[in-house]
């Protein structure tokens, strides 16, 4: 195995909500984003690879990914290798960017090193984003008042939104910028 590159995408509350408003759910958003990221990496590096393995965690309760893969890679010959409640595996053959892709979506996918690594990177990026998010608001706290930072998880996020309102800091910031619909 060789790590050749990595790519990430931040999906803000505003972007997430916009996609939900267009009829997508969280699993759809994750699948579409994952396919786009893999597609971009394949376009960049795939010509030197005859076989590529992609490991993904399951996206919510979704068990079937064939249609999404076929839509993202319409020129590839897609085959279902296996689909059950724990693992779904697909083969994309004769893709424009490489010869063959085997793609697995697995419950507890972080038992595979590539998924565990991507999970660690995502968590690190989230922590960095929350640091900057908190810094933005800390710089605007009225003199003599305090605003405890937030990690952004549901219960604490509700407290944080209430604190912003209590401090008069919600003016001009729409909910859709701060709060994910789902």
């Amino acid at each position: 195995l060789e790590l050749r590159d990595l790519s990430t995408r931040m999906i803000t509350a505003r972007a997430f909500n916009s996609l939900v408003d267009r009829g997508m759910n969280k699993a759809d958003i994750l699948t579409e984003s994952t396919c786009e990221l893999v597609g971009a990496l394949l376009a960049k590096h795939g010509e030197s690879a005859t076989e590529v393995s992609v490991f993904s965690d399951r996206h919510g309760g979704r068990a079937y990914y064939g249609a999404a893969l076929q839509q993202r890679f319409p020129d590839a010959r897609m085959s279902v290798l296996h689909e059950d409640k724990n693992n779904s595996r697909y083969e994309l053959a004769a893709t424009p960017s490489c010869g063959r892709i085997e793609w697995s979506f697995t419950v507890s996918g972080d038992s595979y090193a590539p998924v565990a690594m991507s999970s660690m990177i995502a968590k690190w990026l989230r922590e960095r984003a929350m640091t900057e998010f908190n810094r933005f608001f800390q710089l605007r706290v009225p003199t003599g008042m305090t605003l405890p930072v937030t990690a952004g998880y549901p219960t604490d996020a509700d407290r944080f939104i209430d604190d912003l309102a209590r401090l008069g800091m919600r003016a001009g910031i729409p909910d859709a910028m701060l709060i994910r619909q789902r």
Side-chain angles (χ1 to χ4, degrees):
L1 296 175
E2 176 185 358
L3 176 61
R4 305 255 327 261
D5 202 345
L6 59 92
S7 185
T8 63
R9 173 172 297 149
M10 264 262 189
I11 301 174
T12 64
R14 178 187 281 180
F16 184 91
N17 292 336
S18 175
L19 293 168
V20 168
D21 288 343
R22 292 195 325 235
M24 297 177 79
N25 61 35
K26 185 177 178 182
D28 295 333
I29 295 167
L30 287 170
T31 302
E32 181 177 281
S33 184
T34 300
C35 287
E36 287 175 5
L37 289 168
V38 169
L41 288 171
L42 287 170
K44 187 175 177 183
H45 300 290
E47 71 284 344
S48 62
T50 56
E51 290 195 23
V52 172
S53 296
V54 179
F55 298 90
S56 295
D57 207 355
R58 291 284 285 271
H59 299 159
R62 172 170 283 174
Y64 306 104
Y65 299 85
L69 293 174
Q70 190 67 73
Q71 181 176 351
R72 178 60 182 90
F73 302 97
D75 298 329
R77 193 173 54 253
M78 200 275 297
S79 301
V80 176
L81 301 177
H82 180 83
E83 289 178 327
D84 70 22
K85 64 181 183 172
N86 294 313
N87 182 274
S88 299
R89 288 184 307 123
Y90 305 89
E91 178 182 78
L92 297 161
T95 68
S97 53
C98 75
R100 177 183 173 274
I101 302 167
E102 185 171 321
W103 199 321
S104 298
F105 296 86
T106 307
V107 170
S108 300
D110 56 356
S111 62
Y112 294 97
V115 178
M117 174 77 76
S118 67
S119 179
M120 290 179 356
I121 291 167
K123 287 175 179 144
W124 180 79
L125 286 171
R126 183 188 189 287
E127 292 303 315
R128 297 284 310 192
M130 289 308 300
T131 297
E132 294 306 313
F133 178 87
N134 283 302
R135 183 183 329 250
F136 173 86
F137 286 103
Q138 292 298 322
L139 292 172
R140 289 157 178 81
V141 174
T143 304
M145 302 194 150
T146 61
L147 175 64
V149 299
T150 182
Y153 296 108
T155 301
D156 187 52
D158 291 341
R159 186 262 325 149
F160 187 79
I161 296 297
D162 290 343
D163 285 350
L164 289 179
R166 176 182 52 80
L167 296 171
M169 296 175 63
R170 281 297 309 276
I173 304 173
D175 283 353
M177 284 186 69
L178 294 175
I179 305 166
R180 230 177 56 186
Q181 289 180 28
R182 297 181 186 163

